[in-house]
Amino acid sequence: MPPELARPLGQPYYWTASQTEFATDLLFADPARLAALYPQFVQHGIKTFGCRDVLRFLGHGAPDRFTGELASTLKQRPEGVCLRHRVNGNSLKMYDKQGRVLRIETTIDHPEHFKSFRPKASDPTAPLAWQRVRKSVADVHRRAQISRAANGRYLEALASTHDRTPLHQEAATVCRPVTVAGQRHRALNPWSKEDGRLLEIVSRGEYAVAGFRNRDVRGHLHPGTSARPNAGGRPTGSRDNWRGCGRTG
């Protein structure tokens, strides 16, 4: 605050942020999809994430030396179910917001448990070193970095959740014919011997960078077949049934 504004009160001001919240939102286009996944996320979080995991999420690198307070709670609220992990008064929580958003949120009430690479407050010209994060607004940017990283680690851990969606629902879109530019393309059936072999071929490691061509697939399906174009401009050998599976030759 400028000195002329603080002069009537006779004291300087020190701006602080007693609490900061940083949220990472994942918006679902289909609310039904979030409604199906969220109970699995909650179950995975409460059953799988142990003390070491929670400490890692919030940036504590030495769990064996941790002597503070840690707790995980699951609460049912009017707006939904909230899973919260608390470490020394700071927290990381997950909840579904308005049925469309999966929110991961880090709340910092005690920044002194984190570090910031800065000079000493008493000597701004001193060499940079790891100092305790202050409640001053000068360290708000560091709180944002810590919170964003915590949210990211939590989301990465949620990615290991086992989806209990029935397999026939997951495969429904794969096994349905599609029409592109007026041309109908048949559906794949991963459980058939022929299509299973095709999927095995196009998943080969050598095609991970540059992709594959129709003649590459034919070479595996029909070894020894010539890929030389004939008079009609089509390769000789097996009829080309794999149009659209990769880069055309």
Side-chain angles (χ1 to χ4, degrees):
M1 177 176 291
E4 60 271 18
L5 296 181
R7 191 177 298 114
L9 299 178
Q11 61 182 11
Y13 278 77
Y14 180 75
W15 293 103
T16 64
S18 60
Q19 181 186 88
T20 55
E21 297 179 352
F22 191 100
T24 301
D25 290 343
L26 275 67
L27 176 63
F28 282 71
D30 182 10
R33 184 57 176 162
L34 176 58
L37 289 174
Y38 188 66
Q40 301 174 38
F41 290 151
V42 171
Q43 185 178 37
H44 183 79
I46 199 66
K47 288 187 175 181
T48 306
F49 297 158
C51 295
R52 288 179 175 271
D53 299 307
V54 175
L55 289 173
R56 179 176 62 84
F57 296 151
L58 286 170
H60 294 272
D64 294 334
R65 298 197 296 270
F66 179 76
T67 58
E69 180 181 358
L70 186 151
S72 294
T73 58
L74 185 64
K75 293 184 178 180
Q76 176 73 49
R77 296 179 176 179
E79 58 271 18
V81 177
C82 176
L83 175 59
R84 182 194 298 266
H85 311 278
R86 294 185 64 86
V87 177
N88 286 339
N90 301 311
S91 67
L92 179 62
K93 63 183 178 182
M94 170 181 67
Y95 59 97
D96 52 339
K97 184 176 178 64
Q98 298 177 350
R100 299 182 65 94
V101 175
L102 175 65
R103 170 167 289 185
I104 309 300
E105 183 179 294
T106 295
T107 302
I108 297 180
D109 291 283
H110 296 278
E112 66 274 10
H113 296 298
F114 303 102
K115 299 289 186 180
S116 177
F117 197 61
R118 59 176 177 82
K120 292 182 179 180
S122 59
D123 185 5
T125 62
L128 300 180
W130 286 107
Q131 311 284 349
R132 291 182 181 273
V133 175
R134 301 161 292 185
K135 286 200 170 185
S136 167
V137 294
D139 282 348
V140 167
H141 72 287
R142 177 56 181 159
R143 292 206 209 185
Q145 293 173 348
I146 294 169
S147 300
R148 181 186 291 111
N151 293 352
R153 286 188 286 265
Y154 198 85
L155 284 170
E156 288 179 359
L158 282 180
S160 64
T161 302
H162 294 291
D163 189 1
R164 298 179 181 274
T165 303
L167 183 59
H168 70 89
Q169 294 182 16
E170 293 286 1
T173 56
V174 178
C175 300
R176 182 183 303 134
V178 297
T179 301
V180 179
Q183 183 175 1
R184 188 177 186 275
H185 299 267
R186 74 174 183 87
L188 287 172
N189 181 1
W191 294 275
S192 72
K193 181 179 180 180
E194 295 78 9
D195 285 357
R197 174 62 176 155
L198 173 62
L199 293 174
E200 180 182 356
I201 291 171
V202 300
S203 299
R204 292 171 64 95
E206 61 262 38
Y207 303 138
V209 176
F212 56 87
R213 297 168 294 183
N214 291 339
R215 66 185 183 187
D216 297 326
V217 176
R218 285 194 300 272
H220 291 288
L221 290 175
H222 308 284
T225 300
S226 172
R228 179 177 55 84
N230 59 19
R234 294 177 60 83
T236 60
S238 171
R239 184 172 181 268
D240 185 3
N241 292 321
W242 314 116
R243 188 174 304 162
C245 293
R247 189 176 67 248
T248 56

